[in-house]
Structure formats: C-alpha cells, structure tokens
Amino acid sequence: MPDPMQSPLLEIKDLRIEATAYPPGEPPRHLVLVEGVSVAVEKGKVLGLIGESGAGKSTIGLSAMAYGRSGVRLTGGQILLNGREIRTTGSVELRGLRGREVTYVSQSAAASFNPAKRLMDQVTEASVSHGLMSKTEAEARAVNLFEQLGLPDPDNFGSRYPHQVSGGQLQRAMTAMALCPRPDLVIFDEPTTALDVTTQIEVLAAIKKAIVDTGVAALYITHDLAVVAQVSDHILVLRHGKMVEYGTADQIINDPHEEYTRALVSVRSINHAEKAAAEPVLKVENISARYRGTNFDVLKNVNVDVAPGQTLAIVGESGSGKSTLARVITGLLPAAQGRISFAGRTLSGDLANRSKNDLRELQMIYQMADTAMNPRQTVGTIIGRPLEFYFGLKGDARRKRVQDLLDQIEMGKGYIDRYPAELSGGQKQRVCIARALAADPKLIICDEVTSALDPLVADGILKLLLNLQAEAKVAYLFITHDIATVRAIADRIAVMYKGEVVRYGQKSDVLAPPFDDYTDLLLSSVPEMRLGWLEEVIAGRKMVSAGN
C-alpha cells in the first residue's frame, strides 16, 4: 500500500459514479457505474487498474481529472489531487488542470490525432496553450521525448503527419504529447491493447522508461494482468464497478487473495494436445497474390494445409499477410498464381464463380462481432439466415434449429429474440460462431476472433471452439498474432512475415528451438505473469517488430 508518511499525489475516497441510460421505447434507467472505490497514488508511482469490460476502469481513470463521459456523473466521495478536492471544482479551474497537471493517453492514438495537423503541432499544443513554455521550448522538449521513447529520427519525427507513422510509433507520439507539459499524473487508458504483441512490448518498454525518467505518477488501465504487472507498483482489481482486491504488484501476481483475481492470474491455462498430421480438407499450394492497382505481391508462394477436426494457426504481426491469405481462400481476392483444393475439389479463385456448396462448407468468423451483425436483426434472424439460405428451413423448424445452436454455444434460452446491443462482447462472438455452424461447414476461418475480448471471455470462446470441434469434426484456420492463443488451440502452425511463410509444421516442432529471429521475436513477446519479465525480454531481443 502507499507509504503513510508520504502525502499522496492522487487520493480517491469512497468514489461513487452514476449514469442514466435511455433505452429506445423504455423509461430511463438509473445506473451505478462505480461504488465505494478508494485508492491512492504517490508521486513517481504507477497504479494499475485491471478488470474486464464494464468493470469501471476507464470511468475511474477519467475521474482523476474530474471528467465523466456523456451522461456520467461523479455523485459521491472525494477526489484529491495535490491535496485539493477536484470533484466539486468549477469548470474554469478544471480546464486549467487538464492537460497541465493531469494528462491522458487513449487506447486509439489513430482516432485521437488530427490527421490534418503535423505531429509536432499536436504534441506541443497543450504546453503552449497553458503558457507552460514557449513554442521553441515545447518543440525542444518534444524532440527530447521522441528520443526517450525510441522514435526514429527524433529531430524530424514531428514534421510527419499521423498517417505517415506506424501504429506503435503513433502511440508513443501520444505518450510524448501527454508528458510534454511535465504533468504530475498521466492516465494511460489501454495504450497498447490495439497493437500487435511485438509492437506492444516495445511501446510498453518505452512508456515504462519514460515514467522512470520523468518521475511522473500514472494510472495504467488495462484488462491484461500480465501487461499491467510490468509497469505497476500497485494494482487495483475491479469488477462491476467495485473493488475486488488492492495490493502491491508482487502480492497480486504471486499471492492473490480473491477467487476472481486468481482466475485472472491463471487465464490461458488451456492444455490442448496436438493431433497427428492427416489427409487435408484444405490445401493451399504455391499461392501468390497482389491487390488491384499494385505491382508487388502481398502473398509470396504460400503453401499450407489443414486436416478435418484440426486447427491450423496462422500467426504474424499486422501486415504479414494473414488476413490477405483468408481473403484468397474465401475468393474475395483472386490469387495471381497457385491453387486451392478443398474437400477433394479445386476452388475457383473468384467468389462469384463458386457453387452454393462451396460457400456453405467454408465459413468465416470475424474479429469484430459488432460490425459482423446487423444491429436491427434479432439473434434468431441472424443465426436463422444461413439455415434458410442453405437448407430451406422456415418457421418452427428454423426456430428450433436456432435454439439448438444456441444451446450448442452454451447460451441457452432467453437470447433468441434479443438484439446485438443487448449482448456482451463474448455473447456477440458466440452468436457469430453459431451463425457459422448453422451452415454445417467443413472449415471455419477464425480471423482474430478473440483479440477484441477480455482474457477471461476469450478463454471461454477458445474452450467453446475446441468443444465444438470435437463434436462436429470441423477444421479451423485460426488467424492471430497472439502466441498464447496458438498454444491453447493449434495442431499446426504457419508463421508469416511480410507475405511469406517463414516457419511451418506441427505445433510441437514450430514452438521448439532453434528459432529463426522472427519466430523468436513472436514467442518472446507474449507477456508473462511475473515481475521483471519486460526488462528480460527487451534485453534479449535479436530484432524489432516490422511496425517499429
């Protein structure tokens, strides 16, 4: 716990946060988002806020600058910053402390930067507008921060526009923007969640170094306990807006007291024994492909296969060609050369020329369940559409089959007439799985299906997919950048880098040394649930991510 002899920089006492929801066609609903939360952060220390979606992490983080998103009200408790109460402070004084004493780093840097302004103008804006330093001084400070954060060509980096740098570089630029005014407290809200695992580690190391170098205090918000353990001095575990456990990082990781905390620590403990190689249901031979209007191949001579009832994991960072390979297999992007054999027949390279049976037997589950479903259709309609399209089921027969599928994905009764907005993230992904299963496919392409989910929810989805595979003998082509997921579900692995398969074979072979440099980079980038891991992995790296 914080040192009782040292006055905390930030002290939150018995915080209560409320909101009002306005569901269509229903009376307004009063919600308590956060209740009874008390924490303290000393100068130069980092408090990690951990919990699943909806736990109240970001809501509490934003309260540290007395801010609530639209409709959110800070209704109780105290928020003391540098010894003064800010929850009841007027708007003029709040404008003076936001961007000066307290700054904020959001999850999506790409959505936070103005695409029409150069990075330097945006990084220095708060420092100059608050009168903390001149434009020249702010720019010199920014260049120094670019260097500390490991950005390329720090003297000229600020002259670029946001679209001219990678996601990892843009996230570090946002960290520079938050640190430029020399604040007392920085709120990091899921700053690495949207990044590849390889890029995430480098950004995480840069953030930790910047915190140490500048002596700033921080709130670090995430749903990944292994990540928060690398940067935090203390950790607060949250669930449903209430405190579950609060202690030092060492105690939370090595001696968790509460059952929910122990579940977070032990997540991804699935032990899937790989199956032996067998006659493939899908065979990709010598596939090369390029996008229309370009003169270079994004896939280069790719050869992979997957057998019935088995899982082939395609791993690699963004831009390695994973999703492009899926587009070629599904016929959305015709190959420039090569052949795809499926269930004993050669598939046409163009989706429009494939038979109805080709379409039925090869299904796909997408990364973002939110955008993969029509928000105006009920669960029953969404799952029922392939039943009617492929099998002609209607009326009671279709409804009964939909309910059978809901039982199969462990959702049961009470969901068939709900809309997507009434489901959690994990439930939405289960509905997408049921929709794919409705076609009775031989192969399902799973494109990053767990990357947008909390670890506990993702664990449940992986276990469900394995159970369904055992029942239906369906094959999976599982696209991911997360090696922990690969270990949990794969039988065979193909590692992709810049459009080529650089390592391929049975899981036990691919994950056994000696490794090529890129596979070593991927394997070493999976956060481990132990203190000091980050420093060890950075010190032992042989190459950096292509995104950096």
Short mmCIF file of all heavy atoms in Angstrom, two decimals, residues 434-458:
data_model
loop_
_atom_site.label_atom_id
_atom_site.label_comp_id
_atom_site.label_asym_id
_atom_site.label_seq_id
_atom_site.Cartn_x
_atom_site.Cartn_y
_atom_site.Cartn_z
N ALA A 434 -22.23 -19.43 -33.80
CA ALA A 434 -23.44 -20.20 -34.10
C ALA A 434 -23.89 -20.00 -35.54
O ALA A 434 -24.34 -20.93 -36.21
CB ALA A 434 -24.56 -19.81 -33.13
N ARG A 435 -23.76 -18.77 -36.04
CA ARG A 435 -24.15 -18.48 -37.43
C ARG A 435 -23.27 -19.28 -38.40
O ARG A 435 -23.76 -19.81 -39.40
CB ARG A 435 -24.03 -16.99 -37.72
CG ARG A 435 -24.36 -16.61 -39.15
CD ARG A 435 -24.39 -15.11 -39.36
NE ARG A 435 -23.12 -14.48 -39.03
CZ ARG A 435 -22.93 -13.16 -39.06
NH1 ARG A 435 -23.92 -12.35 -39.38
NH2 ARG A 435 -21.75 -12.66 -38.75
N ALA A 436 -21.96 -19.37 -38.10
CA ALA A 436 -21.07 -20.15 -38.95
C ALA A 436 -21.41 -21.64 -38.88
O ALA A 436 -21.44 -22.33 -39.90
CB ALA A 436 -19.62 -19.92 -38.54
N LEU A 437 -21.71 -22.13 -37.68
CA LEU A 437 -22.05 -23.55 -37.51
C LEU A 437 -23.36 -23.91 -38.18
O LEU A 437 -23.57 -25.06 -38.58
CB LEU A 437 -22.14 -23.89 -36.01
CG LEU A 437 -20.83 -23.94 -35.23
CD1 LEU A 437 -21.12 -24.10 -33.75
CD2 LEU A 437 -19.94 -25.08 -35.73
N ALA A 438 -24.27 -22.94 -38.32
CA ALA A 438 -25.58 -23.19 -38.91
C ALA A 438 -25.47 -23.73 -40.34
O ALA A 438 -26.34 -24.46 -40.81
CB ALA A 438 -26.42 -21.91 -38.90
N ALA A 439 -24.38 -23.38 -41.03
CA ALA A 439 -24.19 -23.83 -42.42
C ALA A 439 -23.64 -25.25 -42.49
O ALA A 439 -23.48 -25.79 -43.59
CB ALA A 439 -23.25 -22.87 -43.15
N ASP A 440 -23.34 -25.86 -41.34
CA ASP A 440 -22.73 -27.20 -41.28
C ASP A 440 -21.46 -27.24 -42.13
O ASP A 440 -21.33 -28.05 -43.06
CB ASP A 440 -23.73 -28.26 -41.75
CG ASP A 440 -23.26 -29.68 -41.46
OD1 ASP A 440 -22.40 -29.84 -40.57
OD2 ASP A 440 -23.70 -30.62 -42.15
N PRO A 441 -20.48 -26.38 -41.80
CA PRO A 441 -19.27 -26.27 -42.65
C PRO A 441 -18.26 -27.37 -42.38
O PRO A 441 -18.28 -28.02 -41.33
CB PRO A 441 -18.71 -24.91 -42.24
CG PRO A 441 -19.10 -24.80 -40.79
CD PRO A 441 -20.45 -25.47 -40.67
N LYS A 442 -17.35 -27.54 -43.32
CA LYS A 442 -16.19 -28.42 -43.12
C LYS A 442 -14.99 -27.63 -42.57
O LYS A 442 -14.12 -28.20 -41.92
CB LYS A 442 -15.80 -29.08 -44.45
CG LYS A 442 -16.73 -30.21 -44.90
CD LYS A 442 -16.19 -30.87 -46.17
CE LYS A 442 -16.88 -32.20 -46.45
NZ LYS A 442 -18.32 -32.04 -46.75
N LEU A 443 -14.95 -26.32 -42.87
CA LEU A 443 -13.85 -25.47 -42.43
C LEU A 443 -14.39 -24.10 -42.02
O LEU A 443 -15.23 -23.54 -42.72
CB LEU A 443 -12.83 -25.29 -43.56
CG LEU A 443 -11.70 -24.27 -43.32
CD1 LEU A 443 -10.70 -24.80 -42.30
CD2 LEU A 443 -10.98 -23.91 -44.62
N ILE A 444 -13.90 -23.59 -40.89
CA ILE A 444 -14.24 -22.24 -40.45
C ILE A 444 -12.95 -21.44 -40.33
O ILE A 444 -12.00 -21.87 -39.66
CB ILE A 444 -14.98 -22.23 -39.09
CG1 ILE A 444 -16.30 -22.98 -39.19
CG2 ILE A 444 -15.24 -20.79 -38.65
CD1 ILE A 444 -17.05 -23.09 -37.87
N ILE A 445 -12.90 -20.29 -41.00
CA ILE A 445 -11.77 -19.36 -40.85
C ILE A 445 -12.10 -18.42 -39.70
O ILE A 445 -13.10 -17.70 -39.75
CB ILE A 445 -11.52 -18.57 -42.14
CG1 ILE A 445 -11.15 -19.53 -43.29
CG2 ILE A 445 -10.41 -17.54 -41.95
CD1 ILE A 445 -11.01 -18.86 -44.64
N CYS A 446 -11.27 -18.44 -38.67
CA CYS A 446 -11.46 -17.59 -37.48
C CYS A 446 -10.43 -16.46 -37.54
O CYS A 446 -9.24 -16.69 -37.31
CB CYS A 446 -11.28 -18.41 -36.21
SG CYS A 446 -12.34 -19.86 -36.08
N ASP A 447 -10.88 -15.25 -37.87
CA ASP A 447 -9.97 -14.13 -38.09
C ASP A 447 -9.89 -13.27 -36.83
O ASP A 447 -10.74 -12.41 -36.59
CB ASP A 447 -10.44 -13.30 -39.28
CG ASP A 447 -9.38 -12.29 -39.73
OD1 ASP A 447 -8.33 -12.20 -39.08
OD2 ASP A 447 -9.62 -11.58 -40.72
N GLU A 448 -8.87 -13.52 -36.01
CA GLU A 448 -8.64 -12.74 -34.77
C GLU A 448 -9.90 -12.71 -33.89
O GLU A 448 -10.27 -11.66 -33.36
CB GLU A 448 -8.21 -11.31 -35.11
CG GLU A 448 -6.95 -11.21 -35.95
CD GLU A 448 -5.67 -11.16 -35.10
OE1 GLU A 448 -5.74 -11.53 -33.91
OE2 GLU A 448 -4.63 -10.79 -35.65
N VAL A 449 -10.57 -13.84 -33.71
CA VAL A 449 -11.89 -13.85 -33.08
C VAL A 449 -11.85 -13.55 -31.59
O VAL A 449 -12.89 -13.24 -30.99
CB VAL A 449 -12.62 -15.18 -33.32
CG1 VAL A 449 -12.94 -15.38 -34.78
CG2 VAL A 449 -11.83 -16.35 -32.76
N THR A 450 -10.68 -13.62 -30.95
CA THR A 450 -10.62 -13.34 -29.52
C THR A 450 -9.82 -12.08 -29.20
O THR A 450 -9.75 -11.68 -28.03
CB THR A 450 -9.97 -14.51 -28.76
OG1 THR A 450 -8.65 -14.75 -29.25
CG2 THR A 450 -10.80 -15.78 -28.90
N SER A 451 -9.24 -11.41 -30.19
CA SER A 451 -8.32 -10.30 -29.91
C SER A 451 -9.02 -9.08 -29.31
O SER A 451 -8.39 -8.28 -28.63
CB SER A 451 -7.55 -9.90 -31.17
OG SER A 451 -8.43 -9.42 -32.15
N ALA A 452 -10.33 -8.92 -29.57
CA ALA A 452 -11.05 -7.77 -29.04
C ALA A 452 -11.74 -8.07 -27.71
O ALA A 452 -12.47 -7.23 -27.18
CB ALA A 452 -12.09 -7.29 -30.06
N LEU A 453 -11.50 -9.26 -27.15
CA LEU A 453 -12.20 -9.70 -25.94
C LEU A 453 -11.28 -9.67 -24.73
O LEU A 453 -10.07 -9.79 -24.84
CB LEU A 453 -12.74 -11.11 -26.14
CG LEU A 453 -13.71 -11.33 -27.32
CD1 LEU A 453 -14.07 -12.80 -27.44
CD2 LEU A 453 -14.96 -10.47 -27.18
N ASP A 454 -11.89 -9.53 -23.56
CA ASP A 454 -11.15 -9.63 -22.31
C ASP A 454 -10.57 -11.04 -22.17
O ASP A 454 -11.16 -12.00 -22.68
CB ASP A 454 -12.07 -9.37 -21.11
CG ASP A 454 -12.65 -7.97 -21.14
OD1 ASP A 454 -11.92 -7.04 -21.49
OD2 ASP A 454 -13.84 -7.83 -20.82
N PRO A 455 -9.44 -11.20 -21.45
CA PRO A 455 -8.82 -12.53 -21.34
C PRO A 455 -9.73 -13.63 -20.84
O PRO A 455 -9.72 -14.74 -21.38
CB PRO A 455 -7.67 -12.27 -20.36
CG PRO A 455 -7.30 -10.84 -20.58
CD PRO A 455 -8.60 -10.14 -20.86
N LEU A 456 -10.53 -13.37 -19.82
CA LEU A 456 -11.41 -14.41 -19.30
C LEU A 456 -12.49 -14.80 -20.32
O LEU A 456 -12.82 -15.97 -20.49
CB LEU A 456 -12.07 -13.96 -17.99
CG LEU A 456 -11.19 -14.00 -16.74
CD1 LEU A 456 -11.94 -13.43 -15.54
CD2 LEU A 456 -10.73 -15.42 -16.44
N VAL A 457 -13.04 -13.78 -21.00
CA VAL A 457 -14.06 -14.04 -22.03
C VAL A 457 -13.43 -14.78 -23.20
O VAL A 457 -14.00 -15.74 -23.74
CB VAL A 457 -14.70 -12.71 -22.50
CG1 VAL A 457 -15.71 -12.96 -23.60
CG2 VAL A 457 -15.37 -12.00 -21.33
N ALA A 458 -12.23 -14.35 -23.62
CA ALA A 458 -11.52 -15.01 -24.72
C ALA A 458 -11.24 -16.47 -24.38
O ALA A 458 -11.35 -17.35 -25.24
CB ALA A 458 -10.22 -14.27 -25.02
#
